[in-house]
Amino acid sequence: MSVIIEGLNQWSFGPGAWLAVGLGIALAYIVFGIAGFGTALVAGPVLILFMPLSKIVPLLVLLDFVAAFGNLLPSRKDVARPELLRLLPCMALGCTLGVIFLLNLKSDLLLLLMGLFISAYAIYSLWVKVRPTQLAAGWAVPMGVVGGMFGALFGSGGFLYAIYLNSRLPKDPARATQSALISCSTVVRLSLFALAGVYAELPLLLLAGCLLPSMALGLWVGRRLTMRLSREAFVRLVTWLVLASGVALIGRYLST
């Protein structure tokens, strides 16, 4: 017990910080329960107030690992295996590049990049109305590589997989294949972070364990909201919040 208390004390979180972190995780997994991706886009701006980005992404990978497999199990029969196999090698390459960048770039530069990434994603989601109706299979290469790199570097590349898959598959197979791809992505990222020694730190593992109830609550709420609210309307509202968070991160970088 003393080891656990000592490990958690290394985070130096006060009651307010624990509350903010718990609520940030819960909100992130509400979005994940609805959209199937986006945890880092929502939780990142909250968590980065209390811990470095190089710790945030591995933490969310641990939580995503549990959440993604929970989403995959009910829909695994709808997975489009040809598309999954086309994207997986590209995603693995991108994840490897992203982990290398994450562990070697300066934290202030990562802060700016995360702000730009979040803002660009939000602007794309809010204002680009025309989506390609059918992408060629060759698009799996850039979408997979960049999605994997963003997933490792910023914790969220799922929107790129969604753009590609939704242009090539009906709704249910696209969602099931995306869940399978994100599940595989978490395994790849988890393995790479483990090999890099990131999970040798007990405080990070303890923090992830403490946040599991918040993650479970968020998933539970998200899955029930999908039954009562328009998914598009809710995701649009959250995207506005994400945009505000991204702009705030850029402002924070410029003010330092």
Side-chain angles (χ1 to χ4, degrees), residues 3 5 11 21 38 52 54 72 92 95 99 105 110 145 155 168 189 238:
V3 175
I5 294 174
W11 292 108
V21 169
S54 59
L72 171 62
C95 283
V99 168
L105 290 177
L110 288 174
V145 172
R168 294 183 57 81
R189 287 181 287 157
V238 172

Side-chain angles (χ1 to χ4, degrees), residues 16-224:
W18 276 110
L19 178 61
V21 169
L23 290 176
I25 291 294
L27 179 58
Y29 283 94
I30 290 175
V31 174
F32 188 91
I34 293 171
F37 63 91
T39 52
L41 295 174
V42 179
V46 177
L47 296 180
I48 207 165
L49 298 174
F50 308 103
M51 54 194 299
L53 183 61
S54 59
K55 304 298 181 185
I56 292 172
V57 176
L59 172 67
L60 292 177
V61 166
L62 282 172
L63 297 176
D64 282 353
F65 178 77
V66 178
F69 277 97
N71 274 0
L72 171 62
L73 291 176
S75 60
R76 60 188 182 279
K77 293 182 180 179
D78 292 326
V79 173
R81 286 179 174 78
E83 295 294 351
L84 181 64
L85 295 175
R86 190 175 288 124
L87 285 163
L88 276 176
C90 305
M91 179 208 69
L93 173 60
C95 283
T96 303
L97 294 173
V99 168
I100 293 171
F101 292 151
L102 180 67
L103 298 177
N104 289 281
L105 290 177
K106 294 181 179 180
S107 58
D108 57 345
L109 178 59
L110 288 174
L111 180 69
L112 175 62
L113 290 175
M114 186 174 186
L116 292 171
F117 171 68
I118 289 174
S119 300
Y121 168 73
I123 291 170
Y124 173 85
S125 298
L126 290 169
W127 280 288
V128 177
K129 304 299 182 182
V130 179
R131 304 289 199 275
T133 56
Q134 179 70 43
L135 286 176
W139 278 96
V141 175
M143 292 294 197
V145 172
V146 177
M149 186 166 61
F150 281 1
L153 189 57
F154 302 115
S156 183
F159 71 96
L160 289 172
Y161 308 143
I163 293 170
Y164 173 81
L165 292 171
N166 288 332
S167 77
R168 294 183 57 81
L169 299 171
K171 179 181 177 181
D172 289 341
R175 185 172 178 84
T177 306
Q178 181 178 325
S179 294
L181 191 63
I182 291 177
S183 298
C184 295
S185 173
T186 58
V187 171
V188 172
R189 287 181 287 157
L190 197 71
S191 301
L192 289 170
F193 283 133
L195 289 172
V198 175
Y199 295 128
E201 301 178 19
L202 181 61
L204 184 64
L205 299 178
L206 291 174
L207 180 60
C210 289
L211 293 175
L212 282 175
S214 295
M215 180 211 73
L217 175 63
L219 287 177
W220 183 82
V221 173
R223 288 168 182 166
R224 275 148 187 79

Side-chain angles (χ1 to χ4, degrees), residues 193-253:
F193 283 133
L195 289 172
V198 175
Y199 295 128
E201 301 178 19
L202 181 61
L204 184 64
L205 299 178
L206 291 174
L207 180 60
C210 289
L211 293 175
L212 282 175
S214 295
M215 180 211 73
L217 175 63
L219 287 177
W220 183 82
V221 173
R223 288 168 182 166
R224 275 148 187 79
L225 282 175
T226 57
M227 303 175 188
R228 301 185 181 184
L229 298 177
S230 162
R231 174 181 179 275
E232 290 75 15
F234 184 83
V235 172
R236 188 173 180 83
L237 173 62
V238 172
T239 304
W240 277 106
L241 297 176
V242 167
L243 177 59
S245 299
V247 172
L249 287 176
I250 296 172
R252 184 180 173 190
Y253 170 83

